[in-house]
Amino acid sequence: QLQLVESGGGLVQPGGSLRLSCAASGFNLDDYGIGWFRQAPGKEREGVSCIDSDGDTLYADSVKGRFTISRDNAKNVVYLRMNSVKPEDTAVYYCAAAPVAGVCVLFRTVYDYWGQGTQVAVSA
């Protein structure tokens, strides 16, 4: 069965770093476009970054220059490295998979499969 499991969240101080992981099982991650989304309390879920099967990436303006998405096909894992985090980065972070290898967009509707989320809290 297809599963996505996020990990790596936690409490971090402003300016610090985290690396989130999205482990895929039951399918070949290389056949899917993968997106990272986040949802803060009282806000809509928003796209953060995505990566397609060719390694093309896209970032929301709010995280450009600070976050980096990457993929390890051998391990079937997608990562989101978060540097220079800000309090406004506080949210539950979700990874999602679209069954189109070349897709990389920051819209929720194109992603069919979602993980359970991992909490990131940025606070001094």
Side-chain angles (χ1 to χ4, degrees), residues 90-118:
T90 296
V92 177
Y93 284 72
Y94 301 87
C95 67
V100 180
V103 71
C104 180
V105 295
L106 299 179
F107 298 100
R108 292 184 295 169
T109 54
V110 306
Y111 296 93
D112 293 334
Y113 309 102
W114 295 80
Q116 84 292 341
T118 185

Side-chain angles (χ1 to χ4, degrees), residues 42-110:
K43 294 186 177 181
E44 297 292 324
R45 192 171 300 185
E46 64 177 351
V48 176
S49 184
C50 60
I51 186 168
D52 67 15
S53 60
D54 293 325
D56 294 324
T57 59
L58 183 66
Y59 297 91
D61 288 341
S62 59
V63 306
K64 283 182 180 177
R66 300 189 297 118
F67 291 8
T68 304
I69 191 170
S70 61
R71 183 175 65 200
D72 187 334
N73 290 335
K75 296 181 179 179
N76 224 30
V77 175
V78 172
Y79 302 100
L80 183 69
R81 188 179 71 225
M82 306 167 59
N83 292 333
S84 303
V85 297
K86 304 175 181 179
E88 51 263 44
D89 294 322
T90 296
V92 177
Y93 284 72
Y94 301 87
C95 67
V100 180
V103 71
C104 180
V105 295
L106 299 179
F107 298 100
R108 292 184 295 169
T109 54
V110 306

Side-chain angles (χ1 to χ4, degrees), residues 2 6 10 22 25-26 29 34 46-47 53 60 74-75 82 84 87-88 98 102 104 117 119 122-124:
L2 190 152
E6 303 94 334
C22 174
S25 62
L29 194 59
I34 305 297
E46 64 177 351
S53 60
K75 296 181 179 179
M82 306 167 59
S84 303
E88 51 263 44
C104 180
Q119 176 71 56
V122 182
S123 180

